[in-house]
Amino acid sequence: MQTYLVGGAVRDKLLGFEPHERDWVVVGATPGHMQEQGFQQVGKDFPVFLHPDTGEEYALARTERKSGSGYKGFDVHFDPSVTLADDLIRRDLTINAIAEDEEGHLIDPFDGRRDIQQRVLRHVSEAFTEDPLRVLRIARFWARFHCLGFSIAEQTKELLQQMVTSGELRHLTPERVWKEWEKSLTTPEPHKFLELLNQLNATEDVLPQLKVSQQQLTLLAKMSRASDDTELRFASVFIGQPDDFNLSVFCQRLAIPNRYRHAAELAFQYQLLLSKAKLSSSEYFDLLQAIDYWRRPHRLTQFLTLRFTLFLAPEKGFIEAVKTAAAEAASVGASEIVAKGFSGKAIGAELARQRRQVFEQKLAAS
């Protein structure tokens, strides 16, 4: 029984990064061996075990054979005879197919270190094409490593194109598509994820009805340089979508979390206000009402960040003035209005009038 550190942890160490998590491969063991040592088995498709002390994942070395459509269409084989090389050859990229033994020696049968030095994303073997999810994974890796000078090998690009042409991407579940897209939003250049999908003509297969033009790529790149907020990065993609684009249906289809959907709605519904050269205090207050600032104050911050990052020069003093005026307007409550004898719909009308007055006066004075 031998244990090896594999994948991203080894790659990141070679790139000079501190690995965020560590994955291990175990050669020469059975599920029974692992359980006898206190490992807890998880996963249904193949045996993965959690270390009793660190909680890190240890997977038995395995091989895979394509047996159906999509990224789940595989028969998995594992037993003590499966070698480390057998396990590494099934991985996607050479830079992810490097292992490190317990003494710190590297096992690199596919020249992953060379590709790290030459800054190339290259497939390990022709079996690369068997898993359509790899199209999205390579797009995500490009979004992460492009800033370091990485490019995609031409032969790998050809295989990616073959996978798209085959129609295999249509078998990906929406949840897996969203998971890869969300991960790409945390990278230095998330627009590269969408850019590669466009280059491969894969966007319609995985993100149906979403228009990804140069405008969307530019706005996403600009937002990403200014902020690491993944919700705002996501939202910027929806500025400039066609009027008939159904955002709710799109988000529902991909099971996109509500916090992302709400940010996208803000960008999509109010894009004319976002790009307008100047907004009056009255327009700002109407916006507060429309986005329900009183219950969701963070939406004003999102709007201002989008507006002054993507369309206008930053005006920190003015941004803070709007936030301060809005907060003071929010301090006007309904109880005092009710105490003055207002009732029914008149309460809401008077509350809005007083809040508007406070907001506009405060903003004008700043």
Side-chain angles (χ1 to χ4, degrees):
M1 176 173 168
Q2 296 172 298
T3 302
Y4 300 90
L5 183 67
V6 294
V10 180
R11 175 201 67 220
D12 288 352
K13 285 171 65 176
L14 292 172
L15 284 168
F17 301 138
E18 183 68 29
H20 294 297
E21 59 184 13
R22 302 192 301 174
D23 294 317
W24 304 83
V25 161
V26 182
V27 177
T30 66
H33 291 149
M34 302 298 288
Q35 290 168 342
E36 287 171 4
Q37 296 183 56
F39 284 81
Q40 177 186 356
Q41 183 172 342
V42 296
K44 298 178 181 179
D45 296 331
F46 50 84
V48 175
F49 300 83
L50 300 182
H51 191 283
D53 297 322
T54 66
E56 293 176 336
E57 290 191 356
Y58 286 65
L60 297 186
R62 65 187 187 271
T63 59
E64 296 175 345
R65 182 176 63 85
K66 186 72 170 174
S67 60
S69 299
Y71 70 98
K72 288 187 175 182
F74 292 90
D75 288 332
V76 179
H77 171 73
F78 56 91
D79 65 39
S81 68
V82 178
T83 68
L84 178 63
D86 292 334
D87 184 273
L88 292 178
I89 199 171
R90 69 176 179 79
R91 295 175 181 267
D92 49 11
L93 297 174
T94 60
I95 66 172
N96 295 331
I98 309 170
E100 180 182 290
D101 67 18
E102 294 172 343
E103 286 75 41
H105 301 132
L106 295 179
I107 299 91
D108 182 20
F110 307 107
D111 293 326
R113 282 177 292 179
R114 177 202 62 194
D115 286 339
I116 285 176
Q117 293 168 353
Q118 296 181 359
R119 297 298 197 253
V120 177
L121 301 177
R122 189 190 313 276
H123 64 284
V124 172
S125 72
E126 294 299 313
F128 176 85
T129 61
E130 294 178 350
D131 184 357
L133 185 63
R134 287 175 171 173
V135 174
L136 302 185
R137 282 176 55 82
I138 301 319
R140 173 164 60 84
F141 284 128
W142 195 39
R144 180 179 177 187
F145 294 127
H146 179 267
C147 63
L148 300 179
F150 274 84
S151 62
I152 303 172
E154 284 304 315
Q155 286 185 322
T156 303
K157 268 191 176 180
E158 291 174 6
L159 293 182
L160 291 171
Q161 189 63 70
Q162 289 178 25
M163 295 161 74
V164 174
T165 303
S166 74
E168 275 279 288
L169 268 69
R170 301 186 194 114
H171 295 287
L172 293 174
T173 64
E175 292 79 9
R176 289 298 299 178
V177 172
W178 167 243
K179 186 175 182 180
E180 292 299 322
W181 190 8
E182 184 180 25
K183 285 181 179 179
S184 81
L185 294 172
T186 68
T187 67
E189 296 182 288
H191 64 286
K192 289 296 179 182
F193 177 86
L194 296 177
E195 184 177 307
L196 183 61
L197 295 185
N198 263 9
Q199 290 178 7
L200 298 172
N201 295 315
T203 307
E204 181 61 27
D205 281 347
V206 293
L207 304 173
Q209 300 182 357
L210 184 71
K211 183 185 78 170
V212 182
S213 67
Q214 189 56 50
Q215 177 190 7
Q216 278 78 44
L217 295 176
T218 299
L219 292 176
L220 176 55
K222 193 172 184 180
M223 178 54 67
S224 301
R225 288 192 295 268
S227 172
D228 59 5
D229 187 318
T230 55
E231 294 173 29
L232 292 179
R233 291 178 172 194
F234 178 74
S236 65
V237 176
F238 297 89
I239 297 173
Q241 293 299 322
D243 292 339
D244 61 353
F245 177 73
N246 194 319
L247 179 59
S248 295
V249 170
F250 178 83
C251 291
Q252 185 176 15
R253 180 186 294 119
L254 291 179
I256 294 172
N258 284 337
R259 63 191 182 92
Y260 284 98
R261 178 173 62 83
H262 292 156
E265 286 173 346
L266 189 69
F268 181 59
Q269 294 175 8
Y270 301 104
Q271 51 190 299
L272 293 180
L273 289 180
L274 285 171
S275 60
K276 190 174 180 180
K278 186 175 178 59
L279 295 181
S280 66
S281 59
S282 179
E283 286 175 309
Y284 266 115
F285 185 82
D286 290 341
L287 175 70
L288 297 183
Q289 293 279 78
I291 65 176
D292 193 16
Y293 166 82
W294 323 113
R295 290 189 300 170
R296 301 181 178 88
H298 70 283
R299 302 195 75 190
L300 174 62
T301 299
Q302 290 180 324
F303 176 88
L304 293 172
T305 304
L306 287 166
R307 176 168 165 77
F308 287 97
T309 298
L310 300 179
F311 298 105
L312 300 174
E315 295 183 27
K316 187 174 181 180
F318 179 74
I319 292 173
E320 292 306 314
V322 173
K323 289 182 179 180
T324 300
E328 288 211 11
S331 68
V332 178
S335 57
E336 295 180 1
I337 295 173
V338 172
K340 292 180 179 179
F342 288 87
S343 62
K345 294 183 179 179
I347 297 174
E350 180 62 16
L351 181 61
R353 188 193 69 77
Q354 290 190 26
R355 283 176 170 174
R356 180 185 294 275
Q357 184 179 48
V358 169
F359 175 82
E360 294 185 359
Q361 288 178 349
K362 181 66 179 179
L363 191 59
S366 58

